[in-house]
Structures are given as structure tokens and as C-alpha cells.
Amino acid sequence: MNESLISRRTLGVTFTADGATVRVWAPLAETLSIRLCQQDLVIPLQNDGSYWQTTTDQLQSGDTYTFVLNNVERSDPASLSQPEGVHGPSQAIDTARFVWTDANWANIPLDEYLMYELHTGTFSPEGTFAGIEAKLDYFVELGINAIELMPVAQFPGTRNWGYDGVCPYAVQNSYGGAAGLQQLVDACHRKGLAVILDVVYNHMGPEGNHFTDYGPYFTNKHRTPWGDALNFDDTDSDNVRRYFVENVLMWFRDFHIDALRLDAVHAIHDESDLHILREIKQYTDLLMQETGRQHYLIIESDQNETRFIQPIASDGYGMDAQWNDEFHHALRVTAGGERSGYYADYEGIRHLAKSYRDAYVYDGTYMARRAKIVGKSTASHPGQQFVVFSQNHDQIGNRMLGERPSQLVSFSMQKLMAGAVMSSPFLPMLFMGEEWGELNPFLYFVSHSDPSLIEAVRQGRKREFAAFQTSVEAPDPQAEQTFDQSKLMWDRLTQEPHQTLFRYYQTLLALRKQSSLRHPNRESVAVVMDEVKQTLTLIRQHQPDASLVC
Amino acid sequence: MNESLISRRTLGVTFTADGATVRVWAPLAETLSIRLCQQDLVIPLQNDGSYWQTTTDQLQSGDTYTFVLNNVERSDPASLSQPEGVHGPSQAIDTARFVWTDANWANIPLDEYLMYELHTGTFSPEGTFAGIEAKLDYFVELGINAIELMPVAQFPGTRNWGYDGVCPYAVQNSYGGAAGLQQLVDACHRKGLAVILDVVYNHMGPEGNHFTDYGPYFTNKHRTPWGDALNFDDTDSDNVRRYFVENVLMWFRDFHIDALRLDAVHAIHDESDLHILREIKQYTDLLMQETGRQHYLIIESDQNETRFIQPIASDGYGMDAQWNDEFHHALRVTAGGERSGYYADYEGIRHLAKSYRDAYVYDGTYMARRAKIVGKSTASHPGQQFVVFSQNHDQIGNRMLGERPSQLVSFSMQKLMAGAVMSSPFLPMLFMGEEWGELNPFLYFVSHSDPSLIEAVRQGRKREFAAFQTSVEAPDPQAEQTFDQSKLMWDRLTQEPHQTLFRYYQTLLALRKQSSLRHPNRESVAVVMDEVKQTLTLIRQHQPDASLVC
């Protein structure tokens, strides 16, 4: 491990007393200069192996710049800001300028996390970090204690879930940029809220993606649904790994992010002895030793393979927790209506009971859709390693019409599902608006500028839902209306039955904090299933004297 | 684990008292029948999940058959014999008919293995297993105790190194087929010789490859130099894994093969919790418990990652040994002349000394060609886990003109290299003919029948050597002459200086068996290097009282 990475970012532009240091990994560059846009000045970088660098007093925080790479102008792969979007110049940002006021903040113990996933662009009327900040008292009133931001890395245009980001170090300009994010995190910490950031280390978005001009960021040794895999184990992969390790450290150190949610790690391909997730954990541990702050790594994985969440000391990758989609699938099937696609592998109440007991539904059992034995036993893993929910951005947004459960199941069923999540011996997560039964959909939306890409996304979406085709057309992902329709309608909170549901969520969250439910203790969970009556009784206990029957 | 796999093969045609059982994995089949060629009879198979099967008394050992799969006629993926080549019908073979006479044979302890790699087609004038059998006394006279056969799985035509095999269960008809191989192994065992078989589990050859008609044998999740990877971890991979596990067990159980050499395992992609090599080892262990016979798994890997050869109990894959190409590279650079291609990463004597000490040259060090830190320390691994050589089929045959060291270095240098290999604390391996300094090349040859494939191979070969282009053209791989030129010239053994070299090898092998060299004991190796004089002194010791200075 390279301990010098802990104290400061080395990639991109960083500021010290000597001025700005510029550093970029570009083994494919023959020549490389930085062009300072305001000064209209071009400074050649010195080649130091596969890295290029220089130090200059001409570049100030806030200035824009580009790299001139083999005579072509490109943004910085480690750009912290793209004020004119992914196609524009990069902007130097001195992250140390932000004055933090959260010195007294200590991360919440993971087993007490009560999470709330939100999409910055559609959560508030403003669609910005400031819009979220205006709602912090609301979160406290609701009773959650950790917000999870869908990815904020710069993406094309202003409308995107965030998984098309192409500047993993840059904070989306239309959300409020780097300073806006720092401001939000600081404000959250003052209110006692932790911040989880969703990061995408399994692919980069297609538009504005110039990584291959710089170096072998990708390898054709492995393939993902988005094309060639990021290069974590092929030629020159050490520097790609370092690029992502520095990214992790940046969020924790320079943005005070409390936890990362790593998107779809099953699409991160790495056959080297030291898996990249394990290396990320090692560096995170080193950072935590250095700063005394606690940070968590939470993965999304569809593999049901416990090596991801096994501690490093037991030869695992050391991830703190993982999303457990299977609890969701079993719950939704139990709630009725869902049978097709990935739901086909899930029976209702029997699988829900299994998930309460065993976390994974498939834990060494044959799964028809994959036509193989899937999963491992989670017996030795505590409840806090599994994040559960009755809905999330994917489960809603990957439906053709983006319907939330509020549009699919009865009011009582919504309450029952909320209770099912909250009473589980796992970590509960809400999706923005579910607490008042928001009726607006959460649709898939983009705002690309490349016409052929727009068409490809449209067609892809149509193909995906060809089987579902009814009289209704799949909404156009590129249309502004699709985005607008997906915004939360805060007015509903003042109306019934939304208000009642909100109070129900408040009560549930309070109960979770004050009762035996507080501790996601898997050892003392009793699940009694009645298949005839289709009921499930859950007995949760933490201390011998206090048990709760749900 | 499925213990029933241990006792008998289940795939393809097997014979019991009830007649022939036919079983094939074909999840992509809508209809599937077996056509018995001699009887001109078509019998439908019953669909049992993704397997199809039937039992018939119409099919006898020796009869030919095809499968009629969705109305297309195809050979059996688990065919044991292809009497008319890869494009012809399959032939049922009752492997139990062979009468073994090796009941008293016990495999040689791995640390005593003295290996001799050979290519069946070019080793003897006959180019057959019988041709090898005629030379068994020769092997004994030479002093090796294990022959390693380059792959014998059915390949297109009659001329091929064996890595284009498309019937992993069928023994090349032109070599003598299944019975011929059984006969050879039995004869070897009677002479005290072990038999190692090279098997290819990282790809299938292109010609005659109909696997994708049957099922998802391949996945585009991973890519290899030969295209989509074999599917060891994607949808329906359990049955692909089983196909290869049964193949391993067949060679050991039904052909009495002593060890397998698994080709290029770095191109076997598997990110599941249970790596396929580990599963192969588990089944091999089970078989050995059952039969009481010992079998070894030896891998070719370019990864220098010790998890492959780590015991299963220590979370490794449990492979017994691996080829150590790096010893070869360092030795060849030391011997002079080699600097380009993969040799560029190897210095001479310093790296040779390192390899004597540490097995891997790169064991946690930066390698320029891969532009990353490569390898792990082998400190805890005994010398018997590393196979070393001064030449092999790849190192010779992947040169444009296929020159052996005999054509590249002086007579004394050949002797020095042989001594360097034999005195190492690792397992030595010779390549056929090196023991008399064969002067014929070992070229790359094929005998495809598909004209576009022939042209592609020709062009590929030309491209590969474009940089080396001198006045000489790269030999045509498809030409019969290229194959003929690669045959050993046994007459040379009666001539000088070949006879002298042969006696030198004899002496070295005898010394290896009778001195401290016998035990590949890494603990008591002292390597003294003089960079100025370019000499290396190796002190080998096994018991305190007997040491040998080389």
C-alpha cells in the first residue's frame, strides 16, 4: 500500500503552498500540456514514467483548464468540477477552502443506520444539494438518520439517475458542484444525519468518455452490460486501481462522506490475488486510523457470495454491508402482483420467512433463472450487514411506467410492507417519497446530447419493455417531461391519506429506535409462518426481558 | 459435490449391464434424438430438465452415432471417439473393455518426477501412441520417469499441437484413439513411467465446434485470446463445470493418467466463490480416496499468484504444481541472445539467481511489460511445486522458425542449460529431442479443412512475426512440410555430438536421482552470484552430510 495516498489526493489539480500541482496518468500520451483557459496559457507537463506533472502558480482555485493530449483537447480524468458539463473544460477546485463545522460529528454506528435513498435532481423542487439542505429538519422529523445520495459524479446534461457519470471525481455542476456537496454534508452532520454516497466503479457513462485516450482504463478481458470492463486486473491495472482508490479516499477525507454505496460490484471484474474491493477496504482502514473517523463500505451485489462481506482477516473483501435485493423480491411477491422477470424465482411468504431467517433466499440452492446453485449461507454474518427495503430507485424505475408500490398495492399493504422492512433484523432503507405514498412515478430519464446515443437509449428502453407492451408507450427517457413527472410532490404531505402514512412511518422509525428492533440482532429472531392463512409472525428480541411481536 | 460422479462417467455414452446409457446436456434443444449410423435407427432422448437421456440395447461399443439436435446432426459433446475426425459421427467406446495390467503401479512421488514433454505426432516416425510405446525402453535408458503428452483431444485433421481440440473427451483418432492411449499408459506403468496429459480447459478449437448448439458452454462475461470464455461462472455454469470435472475424472479413472497439465489457467475465468480449479481438486481428492491411487494437477499459469498452488485448507485452489516460465526466461537470457518480446523483462544472471532462490522472478515487483506489480512470494511453497525447463513446445514453437536452443546456442551452453535445470531445487522437464540436441525445428502446424480458417491462421502467424521479417518467410502452418520438418530425427542419436549430449543428459539424470539433487529442497540452496565474472554457484544440500556444488 502507498501510505502517501492517505493524506491527500495526488491526481488532477491539487493546491499546496507552492501553487497548483497538476498530475495525470497518461501512458498513451506522446505529448501532454495543460491549457489554462482564463490565462490562455499552455504549460507542458513533464513525463515521469506513465504520469505527467507540473507545478504552477498560474492556476488558481476556480480557474478552468483542459489537457492537450497528443494535440487533442480533453477534460481532466480526475477533474473535480465541470462547470460547462462533461464536454467542457475542467475547473480546479481547492477542496481545503471549505470551512467545516462538523468537528464534533461522529459517524452513527452502522447497526443504527436508518437510511433514506434520494435522487438529488427529483427530490426537491430545486433539484440541487441546497434543495436537500432545506429538508434536513424534515428528515429529523421523519426519524431517519442517514441519507443516501444517488450518484453525483458529473453526467451528460442535467437529467440522469447518475449511473452515466463520466467524471468520477467531479460533482455534478447542476446539483451545486463540489462546494455544494461539502455544504450539504456539513449541514447534515450538524443535524445528526450521516451521508452515504452512491459511487459507480463498474463502468463509465458513454457520453464525454475520453478515458481510452489517456490510458488502458478498460480491458477486453472481461465484459460488462456496458461494454469492456474497467481494468482492475489486466496490463497497467495498478494505476487504474489507484485512480479508484484515490476516489474513495477523496470522498471520505475531503467531503466527509460517511459511507459509500458501491454500485453493482458483480460487474467489477478482478481476478487478481488482491481484489480491488479488498484493496479499497485496506486503504479505508488506513485512512480511518489516520483520521479517527469511521467510514462504511456498502455494496450492491447480486451474487449472494459472502466473501464480499467477510472480514479481511477471514480472507474476505471486508465490505461492511450489502444490499439484499432478495428480501425485497420475496416481500414484493408476498404483497401480490409481482411474478414476471426476476420475481419469477421468488415465492411469497415462504421466501420472505427464509429471508428474515437467513438474509439470502438463495444460499446454496438452485435458482432457475441462473440455472445453477446460487449463494452461500450467511449464518456467521450479523444483521447489520444487510440493507433491506420495500422499494428503491431500481425496483421502481426499471418498470416501464416507473410505478411505486403506492400505485400498485393498497394503502394497508403499503403499511404492511413498511412494517415488514422496519421490523427486520437488518438495516432498513426507504426510497424518497415512500413515507407519504408519493404517487408520481420514478422513471428512467437522461439528457444526452449525442443524437445517436439518445436514439440508442430510446430503442433499448423500448426493447426492454417489448413484452410488456400494452396500449401505453414506454415514456421517452430523453423527454424533459419524463424527468419532471418523476419529481416528488411535497404538497401531498399536507393531504390525506399521505399525512397518515407519514405519521405511520414516523411511528415505525421511532419504534425501531426505541424497542428491541433497534439492534439488527439475527440470533433472537423467531419466524412463525402459517402458509394457509398466509401470515408470518416475527418475534424479535434483543435483551432477554424485552421482546416484540410483529 | 456430487459423489456419484466419482465412480463413473455420466455424460455421453456409457455401458452397463442394461445396455448403453446415452446422456447429453442440451438446454438449448427443442428435440433431441440419437441416430445410430450402422443400424440407421433414430431413437428420441427423454428430456430430464436440461439433460436428455435414454437407455438402449441397440448401441454397442464401436458403433458410430450422431445426435439430431433441433433437426441438425451433430457429434456428441462428450464423444469418446471421432473415427472420421471432428466433422464425422461419434463412436461409442466402452473404456472398461481394456484389460489393465498395472495393478501394481503406484504413482511416483511428485518430488521425484523427471519429466519429458512430447508431441505424439512428431515424436516418433509413426506419429502415434504405438510409436511412443516403441520408445519406452529409451526413456528408461535416458533416465526420465514421467512423460507428458501434449493434448490428445480430437482436433481437426491430423497435424496440430493439440490446442485446437474440440472434443475434450475423445482421443485423437490418428494417434490411436482411446484404446491406443490406454495401451500406452498401461505399458508406461509397466516400465515404471508416469504419464502426464496436457488438457485444455480455457477454450475449444474453432473448427468442428458446435457446443453453442447444445448449451451456454461459453459466456461473453469474460474474453480470452480465443474469443468468449468458457462459462465457469455465468448462467447455467454448473453444468459446464460438471462437464470439465467429469473430464478430469475420466482421464484419471478410466485412462489411469497420473497427472494432468492444465493449459493456461490464467485464461480460465471464474469469479465464483468456488473456483473451478478448486472444485476439480476437490473431486480429484474424492476420487483418490475412493481408488487409493495418487493423481497430480499441474498448471500452466503466467500469473505468479500463489493462490493456485496454495492448499485447499489454506484457501487456495490446491494445485500440486505449476510451470515456472520465469526460470526459463531468466535462463535463456543468461545463455545469451534473447532480449525481445517477453524476454525483455528478464535480466540474465541476477534474475536466474533470484529464480533459484525464490522460484518466481517477479514476486511482488514491478514488471514493465504488464506495467504493474506482479506476483507474490513463494516462500512457503516447496520446490516440487515448480516445473522448470530450458525449452518447451511453446518456447520453441512460438519462434517464427521454431528453432530449438540447439540451433541458437553453443554445444557447451546447451550442456550448461541442462545442468542449470537439473541442479535446480524444482522439478525438471525436458522437451523431446533436447537430450540429443535435435536440430530439426518444432514449428507451429495445423491441418484445418476450413479455407477461411486456414487463411486466418496463416495471416495471424505472419502478423505475429511481421517485426521479425528478414529474408525468410514464416513457414506456412497448414503445409504438410511444416509438420514433417518438425519430426524428431532419431538417426542423430547414433551421430556425434548428439551421442555425447545424450550421455551427458543420462549422467545428469542419474546424478539428479542419486545425489542431494534428488529432493527439490529449497531450504538448503545457496546461490552465489558473481556479476563481473557472470558466474553462479549453486550449493544444494539435502541431508547435512551431503552437499553438491554446481
Side-chain angles (χ1 to χ4, degrees):
Chain A
M1 291 214 285
N2 181 345
E3 303 204 4
S4 69
L5 301 187
I6 296 302
S7 57
R8 53 192 299 273
R9 182 165 49 82
T10 74
L11 299 172
V13 177
T14 49
F15 292 95
T16 62
D18 302 334
T21 299
V22 184
R23 192 148 192 270
V24 56
W25 178 58
L28 299 178
E30 304 274 319
T31 59
L32 207 159
S33 306
I34 185 169
R35 189 174 83 77
L36 310 184
C37 305
Q38 280 75 19
Q39 299 82 339
D40 201 14
L41 190 68
V42 174
I43 308 170
L45 270 63
Q46 282 85 51
N47 185 355
D48 168 23
S50 60
Y51 286 85
W52 296 71
Q53 68 173 49
T54 195
T55 302
T56 172
D57 55 8
Q58 299 287 304
L59 182 61
Q60 310 297 327
S61 182
D63 291 351
T64 56
Y65 66 98
T66 57
F67 286 136
V68 187
L69 172 84
N70 302 336
N71 299 318
V72 180
E73 224 171 326
R74 293 282 180 235
S75 59
D76 178 0
S79 164
L80 254 62
S81 171
Q82 292 291 121
E84 297 164 35
V86 297
H87 297 292
S90 302
Q91 183 179 38
I93 297 276
D94 185 356
T95 52
R97 288 211 178 171
F98 184 79
V99 183
W100 291 94
T101 65
D102 68 348
N104 292 326
W105 166 255
N107 201 348
I108 296 164
L110 184 60
D111 67 352
E112 295 179 19
Y113 261 44
L114 300 169
M115 292 174 266
Y116 186 99
E117 186 191 27
L118 67 86
H119 174 260
T120 304
T122 52
F123 172 73
S124 70
E126 302 84 354
T128 60
F129 297 131
I132 301 170
E133 204 183 325
K135 300 289 186 191
L136 299 191
D137 285 331
Y138 170 79
F139 293 134
V140 175
E141 197 192 334
L142 171 59
I144 60 104
N145 58 21
I147 61 168
E148 173 162 330
L149 305 175
M150 284 173 66
V152 303
Q154 188 74 36
F155 51 75
T158 56
R159 307 181 305 274
N160 198 288
W161 283 11
Y163 302 97
D164 291 316
V166 280
C167 304
Y169 286 71
V171 179
Q172 175 69 12
N173 62 328
S174 60
Y175 287 173
L181 180 60
Q182 289 178 314
Q183 166 71 25
L184 172 63
V185 174
D186 196 50
C188 282
H189 287 172
R190 283 201 311 267
K191 294 280 182 193
L193 298 166
V195 180
I196 309 163
L197 180 64
D198 191 345
V199 288
V200 184
Y201 295 157
N202 51 44
H203 78 289
M204 309 268 200
E207 190 175 329
N209 182 333
H210 302 299
F211 287 90
T212 49
D213 294 344
Y214 283 96
Y217 279 88
F218 297 89
T219 170
N220 66 7
K221 182 173 160 190
H222 308 288
R223 223 171 308 182
T224 73
W226 309 278
D228 282 354
L230 280 160
N231 175 17
F232 292 113
D233 66 359
D234 205 356
T235 302
D236 221 347
S237 54
D238 284 356
N239 293 305
V240 181
R241 296 167 72 96
R242 177 182 177 154
Y243 176 86
F244 287 101
V245 164
E246 286 214 18
N247 190 258
V248 167
L249 296 173
M250 180 186 78
W251 296 123
F252 288 151
R253 183 191 53 229
D254 305 334
F255 288 83
H256 293 200
I257 293 292
D258 297 289
L260 292 179
R261 180 264 191 191
L262 285 74
D263 183 60
V265 300
H266 46 266
I268 292 176
H269 296 297
D270 184 1
E271 293 178 312
S272 50
D273 256 8
L274 177 62
H275 193 279
I276 182 64
L277 294 180
R278 195 175 154 100
E279 189 171 10
I280 283 173
K281 173 60 175 166
Q282 288 174 342
Y283 273 103
T284 302
D285 282 346
L286 216 57
L287 178 76
M288 294 193 296
Q289 274 169 36
E290 186 73 22
T291 63
R293 286 171 180 262
Q294 183 73 39
H295 302 283
Y296 307 119
L297 294 161
I298 303 171
I299 56 167
E300 180 198 24
S301 169
D302 70 5
Q303 292 300 296
N304 293 12
E305 295 197 330
T306 47
R307 73 178 182 280
F308 290 95
I309 54 170
Q310 202 81 21
I312 287 207
S314 318
D315 277 322
Y317 301 163
M319 299 292 103
D320 295 287
Q322 74 160 103
W323 281 24
N324 183 7
D325 280 9
E326 295 204 301
F327 179 90
H328 166 270
H329 300 341
L331 177 60
R332 293 295 291 269
V333 171
T334 306
E338 307 300 350
R339 301 302 306 167
S340 60
Y342 49 73
Y343 288 112
D345 285 316
Y346 297 88
E347 297 167 27
I349 201 155
R350 199 175 66 82
H351 275 171
L352 183 59
K354 174 148 180 55
S355 189
Y356 273 121
R357 274 189 217 108
D358 303 328
Y360 299 154
V361 171
Y362 288 88
D363 59 354
T365 25
Y366 180 82
M367 182 190 279
R369 186 165 46 101
R370 296 194 189 155
K372 64 174 179 178
I373 306 273
V374 166
K376 283 226 166 174
S377 164
T378 67
S380 63
H381 295 273
Q384 68 183 55
Q385 291 205 290
F386 304 95
V387 177
V388 296
F389 35 82
S390 69
Q391 51 206 283
N392 67 28
H393 72 276
D394 259 332
Q395 308 301 342
I396 297 171
N398 285 329
R399 304 177 70 93
M400 184 175 92
L401 299 176
E403 306 100 320
R404 296 158 174 272
S406 58
Q407 293 164 284
L408 298 168
V409 303
S410 70
F411 190 72
S412 353
M413 188 56 88
Q414 288 174 59
K415 294 208 289 185
L416 209 54
M417 290 205 298
V421 168
M422 221 63 82
S423 61
S424 77
F426 308 117
L427 297 189
M429 186 179 77
L430 312 186
F431 181 65
M432 60 176 198
E434 82 165 83
E435 69 276 23
W436 71 72
E438 174 59 58
L439 293 167
N440 272 9
F442 183 71
L443 292 161
Y444 183 71
F445 44 77
V446 294
S447 50
H448 288 300
S449 62
D450 174 349
S452 63
L453 186 59
I454 294 170
E455 198 44 36
V457 172
R458 275 184 184 137
Q459 292 308 322
R461 207 71 189 166
K462 277 194 185 165
R463 250 195 325 278
E464 196 175 335
F465 297 115
F468 295 86
Q469 220 56 301
T470 57
S471 54
V472 195
E473 276 262 318
D476 175 6
Q478 180 74 17
E480 225 172 309
Q481 194 197 353
T482 305
F483 173 78
D484 290 340
Q485 280 177 355
S486 302
K487 288 201 152 206
L488 291 188
M489 298 285 279
W490 286 85
D491 286 352
R492 290 207 168 94
L493 250 182
T494 60
Q495 299 158 15
E496 284 301 350
H498 305 292
Q499 224 168 29
T500 301
L501 191 60
F502 175 77
R503 281 195 302 270
Y504 178 78
Y505 269 87
Q506 268 187 316
T507 309
L508 272 181
L509 283 157
L511 191 66
R512 173 91 189 186
K513 279 188 271 196
Q514 289 147 18
S515 69
S516 298
L517 298 180
R518 176 166 178 174
H519 304 278
N521 182 344
R522 290 180 65 194
E523 260 111 73
S524 49
V525 173
V527 186
V528 184
M529 176 178 58
D530 185 328
E531 284 207 74
V532 179
K533 291 196 197 148
Q534 285 283 297
T535 59
L536 204 100
T537 312
L538 199 67
I539 301 152
R540 291 281 316 277
Q541 200 169 18
H542 183 61
Q543 270 123 5
D545 53 339
S547 79
L548 190 93
V549 180
C550 315
Chain B
M1 293 215 286
N2 181 346
E3 303 204 4
S4 69
L5 301 187
I6 296 303
S7 56
R8 54 193 297 272
R9 182 166 48 83
T10 75
L11 298 172
V13 178
T14 49
F15 292 95
T16 62
D18 303 333
T21 299
V22 184
R23 192 148 191 271
V24 57
W25 178 60
L28 300 179
E30 304 273 319
T31 59
L32 208 157
S33 306
I34 184 169
R35 190 173 83 76
L36 309 184
C37 306
Q38 281 75 17
Q39 299 83 338
D40 201 15
L41 190 68
V42 174
I43 307 170
L45 269 63
Q46 282 86 52
N47 185 355
D48 168 23
S50 60
Y51 286 85
W52 296 71
Q53 69 173 47
T54 195
T55 302
T56 173
D57 56 7
Q58 299 287 304
L59 182 61
Q60 309 298 327
S61 183
D63 291 351
T64 56
Y65 66 97
T66 57
F67 286 136
V68 186
L69 172 83
N70 302 336
N71 299 317
V72 180
E73 224 171 326
R74 294 280 179 236
S75 59
D76 178 0
S79 164
L80 256 62
S81 170
Q82 293 291 123
E84 297 164 36
V86 297
H87 298 291
S90 302
Q91 183 179 38
I93 298 276
D94 184 357
T95 52
R97 290 211 177 170
F98 184 79
V99 183
W100 291 95
T101 65
D102 67 349
N104 292 327
W105 167 254
N107 201 348
I108 296 164
L110 183 59
D111 67 351
E112 295 179 20
Y113 261 45
L114 300 170
M115 292 174 266
Y116 185 99
E117 186 191 28
L118 67 84
H119 174 260
T120 304
T122 52
F123 172 74
S124 70
E126 303 85 354
T128 60
F129 297 130
I132 300 171
E133 204 182 325
K135 299 291 185 191
L136 299 190
D137 285 329
Y138 169 78
F139 293 133
V140 174
E141 196 191 336
L142 171 59
I144 59 105
N145 59 22
I147 61 168
E148 174 162 329
L149 306 175
M150 285 174 64
V152 303
Q154 188 74 35
F155 51 75
T158 56
R159 308 181 304 275
N160 198 288
W161 283 12
Y163 302 97
D164 292 316
V166 280
C167 304
Y169 285 72
V171 180
Q172 175 69 13
N173 63 328
S174 60
Y175 286 174
L181 180 59
Q182 289 179 316
Q183 166 70 25
L184 171 62
V185 175
D186 195 52
C188 281
H189 288 174
R190 283 201 310 268
K191 295 280 182 193
L193 297 166
V195 181
I196 309 164
L197 180 64
D198 192 344
V199 289
V200 184
Y201 295 158
N202 50 44
H203 77 288
M204 308 269 201
E207 190 174 331
N209 181 334
H210 302 300
F211 287 91
T212 49
D213 294 343
Y214 283 96
Y217 280 89
F218 296 89
T219 170
N220 66 8
K221 182 174 159 189
H222 308 287
R223 224 172 307 182
T224 72
W226 309 278
D228 281 354
L230 280 160
N231 174 17
F232 292 113
D233 67 0
D234 205 355
T235 302
D236 221 346
S237 53
D238 283 355
N239 294 304
V240 181
R241 297 167 72 97
R242 177 182 177 154
Y243 176 87
F244 287 100
V245 163
E246 286 214 19
N247 189 258
V248 167
L249 295 173
M250 179 186 79
W251 296 123
F252 288 151
R253 182 191 53 227
D254 305 334
F255 287 83
H256 294 200
I257 293 291
D258 297 288
L260 292 179
R261 180 265 191 192
L262 285 74
D263 182 60
V265 299
H266 45 266
I268 291 176
H269 297 296
D270 184 2
E271 293 177 311
S272 49
D273 256 8
L274 177 63
H275 193 280
I276 181 65
L277 294 181
R278 193 175 155 100
E279 189 170 10
I280 283 173
K281 173 61 174 167
Q282 288 174 342
Y283 273 103
T284 302
D285 283 345
L286 217 57
L287 178 76
M288 293 193 297
Q289 273 170 36
E290 186 73 22
T291 63
R293 285 172 181 261
Q294 184 73 38
H295 303 284
Y296 307 119
L297 294 161
I298 303 170
I299 57 168
E300 180 198 23
S301 168
D302 71 4
Q303 291 301 296
N304 292 13
E305 296 197 330
T306 47
R307 72 177 184 280
F308 290 95
I309 55 170
Q310 201 81 20
I312 287 207
S314 320
D315 277 321
Y317 301 162
M319 299 292 102
D320 295 288
Q322 73 160 103
W323 281 24
N324 184 8
D325 279 9
E326 294 204 301
F327 179 90
H328 167 269
H329 299 341
L331 177 61
R332 293 294 291 270
V333 171
T334 306
E338 307 300 350
R339 302 301 306 169
S340 60
Y342 50 71
Y343 288 113
D345 285 315
Y346 297 88
E347 297 167 29
I349 201 155
R350 200 174 65 82
H351 276 171
L352 183 59
K354 174 147 180 58
S355 189
Y356 273 120
R357 274 188 219 110
D358 302 328
Y360 299 154
V361 171
Y362 288 88
D363 58 354
T365 24
Y366 180 83
M367 182 191 278
R369 185 165 47 101
R370 296 193 189 157
K372 64 175 179 177
I373 307 274
V374 165
K376 284 223 164 175
S377 163
T378 66
S380 63
H381 295 273
Q384 70 183 54
Q385 290 205 288
F386 304 95
V387 178
V388 296
F389 36 82
S390 69
Q391 52 207 282
N392 67 29
H393 72 276
D394 260 332
Q395 309 300 342
I396 297 171
N398 285 329
R399 304 177 70 93
M400 184 174 92
L401 299 176
E403 306 101 319
R404 296 158 174 272
S406 58
Q407 292 163 286
L408 297 168
V409 303
S410 70
F411 189 72
S412 349
M413 187 56 86
Q414 288 175 61
K415 294 208 290 187
L416 208 56
M417 290 205 299
V421 167
M422 221 64 82
S423 61
S424 76
F426 309 116
L427 298 189
M429 185 179 77
L430 312 187
F431 181 66
M432 60 177 199
E434 81 165 83
E435 70 275 23
W436 70 73
E438 174 60 57
L439 293 167
N440 271 10
F442 183 71
L443 291 161
Y444 182 73
F445 43 78
V446 294
S447 49
H448 288 301
S449 62
D450 173 350
S452 63
L453 186 60
I454 294 169
E455 197 45 33
V457 172
R458 275 184 183 136
Q459 292 309 323
R461 208 71 190 166
K462 277 194 183 163
R463 249 194 326 276
E464 197 175 335
F465 298 115
F468 296 85
Q469 219 58 298
T470 56
S471 53
V472 194
E473 276 263 319
D476 176 6
Q478 180 74 15
E480 225 173 309
Q481 193 197 354
T482 304
F483 173 78
D484 290 339
Q485 279 177 356
S486 303
K487 289 202 151 205
L488 291 187
M489 297 285 279
W490 287 86
D491 286 353
R492 290 209 169 91
L493 250 182
T494 60
Q495 298 157 16
E496 283 300 351
H498 306 292
Q499 223 168 28
T500 301
L501 192 60
F502 176 78
R503 279 194 303 270
Y504 178 78
Y505 269 86
Q506 268 188 318
T507 310
L508 272 180
L509 283 157
L511 191 65
R512 173 92 189 185
K513 280 187 271 198
Q514 289 148 17
S515 69
S516 296
L517 298 181
R518 175 166 178 174
H519 303 277
N521 182 346
R522 289 180 65 195
E523 261 111 73
S524 50
V525 174
V527 186
V528 184
M529 176 178 60
D530 185 329
E531 283 208 75
V532 179
K533 290 195 199 149
Q534 286 282 298
T535 60
L536 206 103
T537 312
L538 199 68
I539 301 151
R540 291 281 315 277
Q541 200 167 18
H542 183 63
Q543 270 124 4
D545 53 336
S547 79
L548 191 92
V549 180
C550 316

